[in-house]
Structure formats: C-alpha cells, structure tokens
Amino acid sequence: MNERRKPYSFDRFEPKWQAIWDARQPFHAANPGDANFDPGKPKFYVLDMYPYPSGTGLHVGHPEGYTATDIIARYKRMNGFNVLHPMGWDAFGLPAEQYAIKTGQHPAITTRENVAKFKAQLKRIGFSYDWQREINTTAPEYYRWTQWIFLQLYGAWCNPQTQKAEPIATYEGDEPDAVRLAYVADVPVNWCPELGTVLANEEVIDGKSEVGGFPVVRRPMRQWMLRITAFAERLIDELAPLDWPDGIKALQRNWIGRSVGAVVQFRIAEGSAGFRPADSGILAGIPETNGKGARKIPAHANKMSALPQITVFTTRPDTLYGATYLVLSPEHPFVDALSTRENAAAVASYRAEIVSKSDLERTDLAQEKRGVFTGAFAINPANDERIPVWIADYVLMGYGTGAIMAVPAHDERDFEFAQKFQLPIREVVAPEPRSNDGGERPCSSPPLVCMVEPGFAMNSPLIDGLPTEAARNTIIEWLEAQGMGQRTVVYKLRDWLFSRQRYWGEPFPIVWRNGQHEALPEGELPVETPALDDFKPTGTGEPPLAKAKDWVRHSESAMRETNTMPQWAGSCWYYLRFCDPRNEERFVGEQAEQYWMGGGKPGGVDLYVGGTEHAVLHLLYARFWHKVLFDLGYVSKPEPFQRLVNQGIILGEDGQKMSKSRGNVVNPDDVIDQYGADAFRCYEMFMGPLEQMKPWSMKGVEGVARFLARVWRLVMEENQAGDWVLASSVQDIKPEKPLLKVLHATIKKVGEDIETLSFNTAISQMMICVNALTNLPVKPVGSLRTFLILLNPFAPHLTSELWQTLAGPFADGAGEIDAQRWPTHDPQLLVEDEVEIILQVNGKVRDRVRVPLGASDVELERIARANVRIAEFTAGKTIRKVVVIRNKLVNFVAT
RNA sequence: GCCAGGGUGGCGAAAUUGGCAGACGCGCCAGACUUAGGAUCUGGUGUCGCAAGACGUGCAGGUUCGAGUCCUGUCCCUGGCACCA
C-alpha cells in the first residue's frame, strides 16, 4: 500500500509512541514500599488470561479481550487508580514438546522464540501492560514457587470439622498419607499411547485426546492426585458473592455436580453367592467429608457388618420399596465374589467385553442397555424381599458407590433395563395421594411409563401418602436408625489427576526412598528440568524424565519423582505472582498481595477477562489452590477473581469458526499493516458486545479506520507540499452550546459505557461527536482536547500524537495525554429546555410537537387536542381515555 | 434429554422503569469536488405502496391506552454437560 492510500500516517506515529512508552514506562505500577508508590490511590487489578505462546502467533481472538482490558486499564489510570495490568506466558505445554520430538529443538528455545513473537505482536497493538512484571511459567524463578505451592498442598490436609486446609501436623490420625491434599494413588487413568501420557478427564473428548485427537484407553497407573473434592462444597457455596456470569457459575456448579441422597446397605441373601467380597472401600466421587455435618462417610461401609453388604447410593431413598433389583458396575470389586458358578462364565465374558470397549463406545447413549445376572440375591432392607443382583455398564464405578438400587418404575434407565430383561417393576410413587388397599404388593400390571417426577409415596408402608420430600427424609431417618444407611452428599467432581508423563512441565519437588514419597526441603527448590536430547515418550508410561539417569538419582537412597505437573499448574497462581513478580523470598510479598489482591470483596482481581473455554477447568483449579493458600494464611481473600467476563469468539468473514483449513483466519499483523493498530483496536471493540460471538468484517475495519481518519483531520490538514500540519480551523475559542451539549453527552456516555464494558456503543457516541465537530468551520481546541482524552483508551497512538501536536501552538495541554485526568460532564449542559413529545391515537404515532420541558399534563392534553392530525384521526370517534406521560407522549383512546 | 445464552433491516448492531423500533457503522442509491476516484464531503436508504396509509423485532396467544421489552405456549440457532443413580 502506498503512502497516499493511507488515510493518515499511523505507520509513522504508532511505532513512535510504542518506543516512547517502552522508554518512559508510563504504565509501570509501583508496589507498596516502592519510592514512587502513592498509597492515596485506590487499586484496580485488571487481568487477562495470559496466552500459551504458540508458534503461529496471535490470532484476532486474543486481542479482543486484551483490548477491552487495556481500555479499562487506561481509563482507570486516568480516573486516579493505581492499576495493575500485567502480562505473561503460560509456556509449559505439549506443542513445544511435540515440536521438540519432531525436530530435536529444545522446548526452551521454541518457547523463547514464540514468546518474543507474541510480545512483539502485543506491543504492536499498543497495550499498556506493565512489562516489568512479565512472567513466564517455564522460568525456574517462577516454577520454583509453583513447586513450593505443591509442597504446601502435600503438607496439608482438609480438616473435616472446619472444612479448611490445615498443616498436616494438625492431623491426629495414623495415616497422614491418606489425607494429604496431594497424594499418590493407583488409579485407572486415561492413557494416550500416541502422546505417551496420561490425560485428565477434561482433556479427553469422546474417547480421544483433546490435543491431536488420538485414541485414549483406560489403564491403572500410579499417579499424583490433588484432593479438590474436599473443597467441593466450598467451591459451590463461595461462588455466590462473585460477579461472574450466571452461566459460568452454573457451569461450575454443574461440573461439581452436588447430589443429596443416601447410601443404603443391602445384605446379600444367604446361600446366593460365595461371600468373598474383596476388602475395599469403594466410594469414588465421595469425599472423605460430607458437607456441613462433616460426618465421616462410611467408606468402610461394605465391611461394617459381619455379613457382606452392597452399598448403593440413591437420591431417591423414598423409592426404596420400589427397588426390585440391584445393579453393580462391571468393575465393582464384589462382582467376582458374588457370581455364582452357573453365572460366572457369562459375567466374565461380559466384563471382558466391557473392558475392551473404549470410553466412546461405552458411553454411547444410543445403544440398548446391556448387562448380566450374577446369580446372587440381596435383601431389600425395607421389605426383606430377595432381589436379584445384576451387573451393567450403565452403572459407573467412578460415581457414588459404583452400585445402585434399581427402581424401574421411577427411573428411566432402570425402566429401560427392566423392560429389556423382564425384571419386576413396582410403582411406589403416585402423582396424587392414593389410598392404599392393604400394603405393598407386586404390581400385577406394571406401569407402561415410568414416573420420575416427585409425587406421593404408595405401596410403601413406612411412608405411604407422604410427599416425596418428606418420604425421603423419613426413610433416611429410618435407615439411619436401623444402621442400614445414611444421608450422604456425593459429587460428580473427581480428585484432580495431577501428574503427566511429559518432559516440558514442572518437575515434582518429591523424592522416593524405600518406596515412600517424601517432600524435598524448600532449600532445594527449584527442582530444575534436566537437560535431555531425546524428548520422546518412553511408550511404557514411564515419563521422559526417567531418561535423565543422573538427575533421577537424588542421593544414595533417594530417586526423584519423574512425573511432571500438568499445564494448569502454572496458571493456578500466576495472578498472584504478578503482584510481586521478582520476589525471591516468597511466592508473593505479603504487602503486595494485601494491596493488589485486597479490597472489600471476596475476590482479589477486580476484573478478569478471557474465553469461556476456561469456564470450568482453569477457573476451578485456580479457585481450589487459592482457597488452600487462603486457609493456610498465605493470601488475604478466599477467592481469586471477583469479576469475570468472557469475550465472545470471533468468527471468520464467512461466519464460520476461524481455522486454517477453512482459510478464513484473520492475522492481526495484516490488519495493522493496512489500517493501523488503533483501527484494529477500535474495530475489535466496535464489532458488537464483548461477550457475544461475532463475525469479522474487513469492511467494518475500514469504516472504523475512516472514523479515526476523520478525527485526524479534525486537527490536521495537508499543506501544499502534501505534509500533514496543524489545521488552521483549530482555534482557541469558546465552544458554542450545541457543541458543548454533544461533547458532554459523549463524556457521560463513554464513561458509563466503559464501566459496563459496552465499548461498541461508546464508539458510536464518539462517532456522533466527531460528526458534530467535523461540521464546524472552526474547532475549539479545548473541546478537541477533551474529546481526545475520551478516545485515548481506544486509540492511544492517534490521540497521543494529536495531543502532542496541539501542545505546541496552544497553551494548557501540559503533559502526555495518558497523564491527563478523565473529564467529568456537566449535567446542566445536558438539560433540554424543550422536548419533543409524540401524539398518538390508539397507540399509533400521528404527530410530534415540541413543548417546554416539564409542561403539565393539562397543558399537554390541551396542546394535543388542538392538534390537526389528532383531530383528523379522532374525527367521528368518541375519545374514551387520554393517557398523558409528561415529557413523553399523549395518547388518545378513541372508538 | 438437561443447563446456559440468543433469534430485531441486505449485513454488524442500538433501544432507563413497558412509551417515536432500527442510534452508530457497513453496504447500497443520488449529488458535490475532481483528469480520475477504490479519497473526501453532502443527502437518502425497514417492507409494501404513486400516495394517503398499512405492515414490521422467530412463531402463536395473553396482559396493557401502549409490548423488541412483561406472561403462557412453541419453533430454531449457539455453547456446555450428557446412563452422575
């Protein structure tokens, strides 16, 4: 593009101002204790979700949220806040490692190159980050503290009495390793042979790896786990006071998946099986503690009685009389022992079939229910009835107790199963209270449909006629009195699988001695990643770090842990490090943490902007770590992020998701080359509401560029040589009232809109203001200056340049524009002395008239009645009613 | 199936407590200035209609003097969860 084509010379002044900002550091925020710290100012912490610096560079989605936060940051600074607005790099992760495997280039090199690229791109957009606070999760100075926090988790437990993390020293039991927040367990994990690593449940989509789409199989392995389930209750409850979108809160609640119900014990009927249940506490998904009551869940429930019992979890204990069979998960440890000789073969072959299936096949909802009878019977504690015990893969080992009581009349899945295998169906809940004619009896004509809704108990002697809620409570009390069950809360949330078999991640600060794990002393941190030439996975599940033989050998008797932490680890606390990024004594200085993460709200970061894709994982994990640190006294607030906003996805021009394969990807660099950074920023904000999904449009960018060019030409004109010089129409005169009015309306609206993140309408209003200014033959310099300040957060380069240009010939423009105070509007100037009111007949607008502001109802009606148009439309009709709304309208109801 | 969000011109979108639907921008049309215009400026632009006027915020009802906005039902789209007992 040649020079003449450029609407204004952004390519000259944008780099100029970026260089000035680099040199003068006007956006550096001082910490408490620093020489130039001003304690009189309130703080504002506005944070972006930091990026993974990929090889492909920024796409237009990144700068959407970044521009929004940049506008807020600049606006808040001009409003007298100390603003913390940092940026860093989430640089551990698979792509760099995959690249290393392919090319042999060390991930550290790839990372350094990518970070440089990203940083250059971000600077080109003119973001006002405090680059002195830049952090990188792969720097040993950073991950030293990630490892330190892990040690806090390892050295803590969650006290069920208080529901709070405490140092492990306060635990009085004899198995500290069973309660640590970081613990080792042999668990069936998502093993991805292709990637040579284990994946978290969240990283597996439809039985395939989220990264790469490779098949994933289940396989038991020794893994590090974090006991996030101990905080399930608080992670739900403490969402309430946060200013997050309701949808995100719902997503988190749903993910945690709290269900209130009861565990119920079913005795195994004598002579029905071999009574050799494996000794095992099997309550996946049930934390050690149980909500408010902090009761110990009977994890040993299955060995409480002399006789073997099957423990089930149900949310509908009121339907106990309708439980006509039990179903165990195929992986349930009792299965072998329960199976009778005649059924053993069928059971074994069914289990073999299930094991061979991928998660994808297994969870396919469309298929018919499958299962086999074990040959065993259990006793329903409510009515002592012998009911058959089946196994079926629709019962998941990972949730509840891995066993259910099937109530086919009132549960869709059980209903479907019972129909397929002709199991009895007994109705025990009626939509209306129903008189009971003599106790329960098997339904002679089983219901054709199952009713899952609450209703009134029937065929259930203990609770007949009671509404579901009351019936539920009565049954639970009865079960508890009998020692056959207990009120219980279970969660879908599982403990967090925290180890990965990867090279490019934080090593664990742990060594193994005589088969026992042990924390390294803090003095040995950071445990640095060993040098390695070959990053390939071992294929056996042993992590690549195991190849660094010298490194692994910590001492004569101790070997290092060779797993690494998942990518989430670094992002669980980066917002804390930003407060005090160079501290070598502590993960964050106390004073800095109290200042930036303090305030009157439960959450420390005032505004956090990022994509919805992190709605559950990152945000849940970070909240969990934060709570642990809070409980242990290291941070001052229980929640990390007070206000959360998700920016919407930007689609390609074709309305499709941007992707290389579709060829609809928009590169920010190209846009900036053509239209400049300010136009790029403003367009991203002008497209539509921040939180909404919206398609890119190059034409739209042009429109916004035109707007900025008009701003440029308000101040500048081309002389005969073709150079831009200060326009002669800019003069130091007093603005007329109409201009003042639109200017002050703009001050008001832009301020309000920035506060509510409605940047699109703020820009609309500024366009209106520019149109008004353009039409004036002489432009008052004071009004132009005020306008430039309003536009500055959106278009910082352009406004800086014009501000500086005006500073020469005119007085009163001291200092850079970003050091100016945000203007306040004068409400007096906005008051109209006349308003236009509309005249309606039967709700239809027939005319409009200008009347003095505040004209009385009587006056308005008089004016309306005298109106010709009104007379025309009411002619021949009777006026039934007149509605007068002051300063708005008069409506005649006529028939 | 469940949860959340959303359906307004040719397009992106605006619209305090219910009170002029379509601000602002794109596109399009016309004009001005120009050797020229893919620059700039001015005016117009929801649909139908020559007009008066009628119609118009996914669809069908309802409340109201008055509904994009409130209520009931329904359809469609996007995102998330999905045999969670």
Side-chain angles (χ1 to χ4, degrees):
Chain A
M1 170 167 291
N2 68 45
E3 192 57 30
R4 289 292 306 144
R5 277 284 155 78
K6 286 199 166 65
Y8 59 103
S9 47
F10 59 81
D11 54 331
R12 275 212 288 273
F13 64 73
E14 287 185 352
K16 167 186 146 185
W17 285 100
Q18 285 157 16
I20 289 174
W21 297 332
D22 259 351
R24 299 188 194 156
Q25 296 281 304
F27 310 121
H28 172 58
N31 263 8
D34 288 353
N36 50 349
F37 177 74
D38 179 354
K41 289 180 171 182
K43 69 98 184 182
F44 195 84
Y45 187 174
V46 49
L47 180 68
D48 291 300
M49 288 187 187
Y50 66 166
Y52 174 79
S54 70
T56 50
L58 282 181
H59 53 81
V60 293
H62 283 121
E64 189 190 9
Y66 296 171
T67 303
T69 54
D70 196 60
I71 291 168
I72 296 284
R74 289 173 180 272
Y75 168 79
K76 286 286 181 184
R77 282 189 205 103
M78 290 170 126
N79 276 287
F81 285 80
N82 276 333
V83 173
L84 180 56
H85 187 42
M87 182 45 79
W89 317 105
D90 183 22
F92 274 129
L94 214 42
E97 181 164 331
Q98 300 283 72
Y99 187 75
I101 291 167
K102 250 192 287 177
T103 64
Q105 171 157 289
H106 195 279
I109 297 172
T110 317
T111 300
R112 200 182 315 127
E113 288 172 355
N114 292 350
V115 163
K117 187 169 177 177
F118 263 66
K119 191 171 173 181
Q121 282 185 302
L122 291 179
K123 287 202 169 187
R124 238 195 124 192
I125 305 173
F127 293 135
S128 62
Y129 292 120
D130 179 356
W131 285 108
Q132 292 179 43
R133 293 174 185 264
E134 177 179 359
I135 58 173
N136 183 327
T137 54
T138 66
E141 310 82 68
Y142 181 88
Y143 68 69
R144 162 188 182 170
W145 297 108
T146 310
Q147 292 169 337
W148 179 85
I149 295 172
F150 176 83
L151 289 181
Q152 307 315 304
L153 289 156
Y154 179 82
W157 70 301
C158 183
N159 185 336
Q161 305 299 324
T162 56
Q163 283 219 61
K164 288 198 165 126
E166 294 178 7
I168 196 79
T170 69
Y171 170 74
E172 289 171 357
D174 45 11
E175 282 184 285
D177 286 349
V179 297
R180 291 179 187 278
L181 295 182
Y183 65 98
V184 171
D186 245 311
V187 286
V189 297
N190 303 300
W191 168 249
C192 178
E194 202 75 28
L195 296 174
T197 187
V198 160
L199 300 170
N201 285 332
E202 304 74 275
E203 293 170 301
V204 182
I205 302 190
D206 292 338
K208 296 205 173 115
S209 62
E210 187 183 13
V211 178
F214 303 116
V216 173
V217 295
R218 303 289 283 180
R219 167 175 161 182
M221 282 176 84
R222 179 184 66 71
Q223 299 290 328
W224 283 95
M225 308 287 290
L226 297 188
R227 209 177 297 279
I228 190 172
T229 51
F231 293 80
E233 194 77 23
R234 278 170 68 195
L235 287 169
I236 289 179
D237 293 345
E238 293 169 24
L239 273 174
L242 301 182
D243 304 318
W244 289 20
D246 288 339
I248 301 299
K249 288 188 183 181
L251 232 47
Q252 290 221 346
R253 269 191 224 104
N254 193 39
W255 188 265
I256 296 166
R258 183 177 194 268
S259 291
V260 182
V263 287
V264 183
Q265 268 107 250
F266 284 73
R267 276 178 296 121
I268 292 165
E270 305 253 3
S272 77
F275 293 165
R276 291 168 283 106
D279 173 14
S280 156
I282 38 161
L283 277 161
I286 301 189
E288 294 295 311
T289 55
N290 164 22
K292 306 278 191 283
R295 256 182 316 240
K296 179 89 176 162
I297 298 290
H300 53 294
N302 284 304
K303 31 178 184 171
M304 258 169 32
S305 150
L307 281 178
Q309 306 196 352
I310 297 169
T311 305
V312 304
F313 172 73
T314 178
T315 53
R316 292 292 301 274
D318 60 298
T319 62
L320 183 56
Y321 286 93
T324 51
Y325 60 101
L326 296 187
V327 187
L328 308 192
S329 161
E331 293 94 343
H332 196 285
F334 285 16
V335 172
D336 278 334
L338 284 170
S339 306
T340 55
R341 217 173 300 278
E342 308 84 76
N343 295 279
V347 167
S349 84
Y350 177 68
R351 289 177 91 184
E353 184 192 332
I354 295 302
V355 168
S356 73
K357 285 204 191 302
S358 71
D359 278 10
L360 179 60
E361 291 170 291
R362 228 182 119 161
T363 57
D364 184 4
L365 264 168
Q367 63 196 333
E368 273 207 340
K369 291 270 179 296
R370 293 165 305 213
V372 294
F373 178 44
T374 60
F377 288 85
I379 307 294
N380 184 331
N383 53 16
D384 289 332
E385 202 167 78
R386 264 169 64 100
I387 57 175
V389 180
W390 286 64
I391 61 172
D393 66 340
Y394 81 91
V395 176
L396 310 175
M397 195 56 227
Y399 181 77
T401 60
I404 62 154
M405 62 179 215
V407 185
H410 305 290
D411 181 283
E412 299 270 8
R413 296 150 301 183
D414 299 341
F415 184 71
E416 202 187 312
F417 193 80
Q419 285 201 310
K420 170 143 187 211
F421 294 104
Q422 265 132 50
L423 291 156
I425 300 171
R426 183 183 305 139
E427 208 177 352
V428 292
V429 183
E432 303 294 337
R434 199 183 288 180
S435 70
N436 197 277
D437 51 356
E440 101 270 13
R441 53 151 198 245
C443 218
S444 47
S445 54
L448 294 174
V449 288
C450 89
M451 191 192 80
V452 297
E453 295 77 24
F456 298 86
M458 60 180 284
N459 287 334
S460 307
L462 278 169
I463 48 173
D464 269 332
L466 286 180
T468 295
E469 192 50 44
R472 195 191 318 240
N473 290 328
T474 307
I475 285 286
I476 291 174
E477 282 159 28
W478 178 81
L479 285 167
E480 286 179 344
Q482 301 292 305
M484 298 301 284
Q486 205 168 42
R487 180 181 301 275
T488 302
V489 179
V490 304
Y491 302 91
K492 282 200 277 188
L493 184 71
R494 309 295 151 78
D495 275 343
W496 178 9
L497 181 88
F498 194 68
S499 43
R500 296 299 129 92
Q501 292 66 53
R502 286 181 191 164
Y503 173 74
W504 198 228
E506 299 87 346
F508 281 78
I510 293 284
V511 291
W512 290 81
R513 201 188 304 275
N514 304 323
Q516 254 302 307
H517 46 77
E518 178 177 301
L520 284 172
E522 275 181 39
E524 289 193 34
L525 302 186
V527 177
E528 292 202 37
T529 305
L532 216 59
D533 299 322
D534 171 19
F535 312 100
K536 275 195 216 52
T538 57
T540 60
E542 198 181 18
L545 290 190
K547 295 180 186 175
K549 298 275 184 248
D550 293 345
W551 179 87
V552 170
R553 201 181 145 80
H554 175 261
S555 67
E556 280 304 311
S557 57
M559 305 283 271
R560 289 184 194 277
E561 169 65 57
T562 54
N563 280 295
T564 54
M565 299 185 200
Q567 198 180 348
W568 308 108
S571 57
C572 274
W573 73 285
Y574 76 113
Y575 55 92
L576 289 169
R577 189 63 180 171
F578 276 137
C579 298
D580 194 12
R582 307 286 169 254
N583 195 320
E584 292 179 5
E585 309 300 321
R586 209 168 179 276
F587 73 112
V588 56
E590 281 175 283
Q591 231 192 331
E593 194 279 334
Q594 278 160 19
Y595 181 70
W596 294 114
M597 293 296 291
K601 301 276 182 66
V605 175
D606 298 282
L607 175 65
Y608 192 29
V609 177
T612 340
E613 65 271 24
H614 297 115
V616 272
L617 307 180
H618 159 59
L619 289 171
L620 199 59
Y621 295 154
R623 291 181 62 219
F624 162 48
W625 279 36
H626 200 86
K627 287 188 189 305
V628 174
L629 292 170
F630 174 71
D631 291 350
L632 298 177
Y634 292 114
V635 298
S636 39
K637 298 282 167 188
E639 285 283 337
F641 316 116
Q642 182 59 35
R643 182 174 179 204
L644 174 75
V645 171
N646 295 118
Q647 84 266 25
I649 294 169
I650 295 181
L651 305 170
E653 297 226 39
D654 52 1
Q656 304 278 98
K657 211 167 192 161
M658 278 194 199
S659 75
K660 251 186 250 171
S661 59
R662 286 203 187 83
N664 60 354
V665 176
V666 179
N667 179 347
D669 285 326
D670 298 342
V671 180
I672 294 171
D673 284 343
Q674 248 187 92
Y675 301 101
D678 287 333
F680 177 72
R681 294 168 59 110
C682 289
Y683 175 65
E684 290 242 359
M685 295 299 97
F686 187 62
M687 290 173 81
L690 181 64
E691 306 191 44
Q692 191 170 304
M693 181 189 292
K694 45 211 178 274
W696 187 267
S697 156
M698 274 309 182
K699 285 288 187 190
V701 184
E702 267 180 53
V704 173
R706 267 204 284 271
F707 157 66
L708 294 177
R710 283 157 72 94
V711 174
W712 175 258
R713 289 196 308 270
L714 283 178
V715 179
M716 309 295 281
E717 65 192 4
E718 272 182 291
N719 65 13
Q720 300 205 316
D723 297 323
W724 288 107
V725 295
L726 181 65
S728 55
S729 58
V730 178
Q731 293 172 24
D732 197 355
I733 55 159
K734 278 187 70 164
E736 304 283 331
K737 181 123 195 253
L739 174 62
L740 279 178
K741 202 161 165 176
V742 72
L743 186 66
H744 281 251
T746 306
I747 294 170
K748 180 166 189 280
K749 180 136 182 75
V750 171
E752 287 169 355
D753 283 356
I754 290 176
E755 296 279 357
T756 59
L757 273 45
S758 309
F759 305 110
N760 53 332
T761 48
I763 294 173
S764 294
Q765 181 62 39
M766 288 191 281
M767 287 173 166
I768 291 169
C769 189
V770 167
N771 291 345
L773 280 161
T774 301
N775 288 330
L776 293 178
V778 180
K779 279 86 173 165
V781 67
S783 304
L784 288 177
R785 281 206 178 104
T786 303
F787 175 78
L788 289 177
I789 294 173
L790 299 181
L791 181 60
N792 176 260
F794 296 80
H797 309 89
L798 172 69
T799 50
S800 294
E801 182 70 12
L802 294 179
W803 182 271
Q804 190 182 50
T805 305
L806 290 174
F810 298 101
D812 297 334
E816 302 296 359
I817 189 168
D818 27 59
Q820 302 303 310
R821 188 74 205 193
W822 190 260
T824 48
H825 76 276
D826 178 357
Q828 283 306 310
L829 288 168
L830 300 181
V831 176
E832 307 268 355
D833 31 321
E834 243 188 3
V835 286
E836 191 177 72
I837 64 159
I838 54 170
L839 306 181
Q840 300 181 323
V841 176
N842 293 332
K844 291 201 165 86
V845 181
R846 295 307 180 184
D847 206 359
R848 30 201 104 196
V849 290
R850 293 194 69 83
V851 300
L853 183 77
S856 71
D857 290 5
V858 177
E859 177 73 359
L860 286 174
E861 185 172 341
R862 191 188 59 73
I863 293 168
R865 280 184 186 274
N867 185 274
V868 202
R869 297 276 297 154
I870 294 302
E872 197 179 311
F873 279 88
T874 51
K877 292 177 177 172
T878 316
I879 294 172
R880 305 277 171 201
K881 188 175 175 186
V882 183
V883 182
V884 182
I885 310 289
R886 201 169 293 192
N887 297 331
K888 293 265 187 193
L889 61 81
V890 181
N891 184 18
F892 292 90
V893 186
T895 51

